[in-house]
Amino acid sequence: MVRSGAVEYHSPVPQMLITPLPKNLIDAIADAGVDLDDVAREAGIDQEALESGVTFAEAGRFIGVAWRRLDDPAFGLRAGCVLRPERYGISGLTAMASPTFGAALQRKARYNRLVWGDIYRIRQDAKEFTVAAEAPDESNPWGYSKVDMEFASLLTFGRRFASAAMAPIKVALRRPRPSFVALYEQIFRCPIAFAQPINSINFSQADALRPLISADHRAAQWLEFGARAALEQMDDGSVTPRVRAQLERMLQGDEPTLAVVASELCMS
């Protein structure tokens, strides 16, 4: 659980790890009239692998081709409003089973990497619950659109499972002011600032504490177990060698503790 004022960090994912693309994103691309088979063929990947798992490099190639064919800079906003719970991956299902909207956002942040998601940081105080999105691929033409999709999908989730009237307090985006500002205002229904230092969406604590109609404690336990296992499997190839190397360096002196090793690696 993220305590008041705390920040939750997540490490970047190596390009060779396998992850499925978000099914709702695939649906949104297809709904826009793009031929998934043809895009996958041009990107040099198996179309069936889009849902079973592709490398991050392959995902980037697929999205690059699809983005060119979509030719819609506002696509991220539109895709983020597509909500088909039956198409959720394990991170979305775990969030859906959470007791409150805030708990769902925390779980979404924890497991977002399982579905080619951006890295989230969460900060909260007595009044606000803030989600900031790290977007390492903003240099790509779809980078800003990916953040749009992330934030619009979080809000769409909250409106579907917590309160239809929910609106953020404010949204800050790194992207320059686009031509389709009216669409942002229509979706978020709150003040939106562009060309900001970070990408963030702020909810009130009252909204974060709203119970979800989909809450299921028993299902959440099983889903979290599966999500943690999947995340550990994903991280094993990147974290284990780093821990081993750090231990070898530290064994020259006193016996290292888990806390010291984690501190040296800038991890929890």
Side-chain angles (χ1 to χ4, degrees):
M1 179 176 178
V2 181
R3 295 181 296 275
S4 176
V7 180
E8 188 170 334
Y9 292 96
H10 300 276
S11 301
V13 180
Q15 292 294 302
M16 292 307 295
L17 289 177
I18 304 297
T19 183
L21 283 170
K23 294 181 176 66
N24 279 311
L25 170 61
I26 295 173
D27 292 343
I29 293 173
D31 289 346
V34 174
D35 187 321
L36 297 178
D37 285 333
D38 200 37
V39 171
R41 191 178 305 110
E42 183 177 338
I45 59 178
D46 184 350
Q47 196 268 336
E48 293 182 358
L50 295 176
E51 296 194 22
S52 61
V54 293
T55 66
F56 275 64
E58 289 171 333
R61 290 205 307 272
F62 176 84
I63 295 299
V65 175
W67 178 261
R68 188 178 69 249
R69 297 191 183 193
L70 286 163
D71 193 26
D72 178 10
F75 173 75
L77 289 175
R78 304 185 208 282
C81 295
V82 175
L83 184 68
R84 294 172 182 157
E86 71 277 9
R87 297 282 284 159
Y88 275 173
I90 192 168
S91 63
L93 291 172
T94 306
M96 195 167 71
S98 301
T100 65
F101 181 53
L105 293 178
Q106 289 173 351
R107 283 174 171 160
K108 179 68 172 167
R110 192 175 303 128
Y111 303 121
N112 206 38
R113 288 184 295 140
L114 294 174
V115 284
W116 199 64
D118 285 325
I119 300 164
Y120 287 170
R121 291 184 294 121
I122 291 180
R123 183 183 296 276
Q124 56 180 315
D125 55 29
K127 294 183 178 180
E128 296 187 12
F129 189 108
T130 303
V131 179
E134 302 276 346
D137 59 355
E138 280 184 356
S139 59
N140 292 319
W142 64 87
Y144 292 131
S145 193
K146 193 177 178 201
V147 175
D148 289 346
M149 182 183 70
E150 294 279 2
F151 285 174
S153 67
L154 294 181
L155 180 57
T156 301
F157 178 95
R159 286 173 175 166
R160 171 64 178 82
F161 295 111
S163 170
M166 183 184 296
I169 297 173
K170 59 185 177 182
V171 173
L173 297 169
R174 287 173 53 86
R175 71 176 306 156
R177 185 180 179 87
S179 60
F180 47 95
V181 173
L183 185 58
Y184 283 95
E185 295 171 345
Q186 176 185 335
I187 292 172
F188 291 105
R189 304 201 296 262
C190 73
I192 302 163
F194 298 96
Q196 299 301 299
I198 61 170
N199 300 302
S200 63
I201 182 168
N202 294 50
F203 295 96
S204 69
Q205 277 291 357
D207 280 341
L209 293 174
R210 290 182 184 274
L212 299 188
I213 61 173
S214 54
D216 189 322
H217 175 68
R218 189 173 183 82
Q221 288 181 312
W222 284 105
L223 288 164
E224 274 235 88
F225 179 83
R228 285 175 182 170
L231 200 59
E232 288 171 4
Q233 184 178 15
M234 174 181 280
D235 284 340
D236 186 61
S238 59
V239 176
T240 300
R242 294 168 58 205
V243 172
R244 184 180 296 114
Q246 185 63 35
L247 284 170
E248 289 173 354
R249 287 193 294 269
M250 297 177 69
L251 282 172
Q252 305 300 321
D254 297 333
E255 180 179 355
T257 65
L258 184 62
V260 172
V261 175
S263 176
E264 290 293 325
L265 294 174
C266 300
M267 300 171 64
S268 63

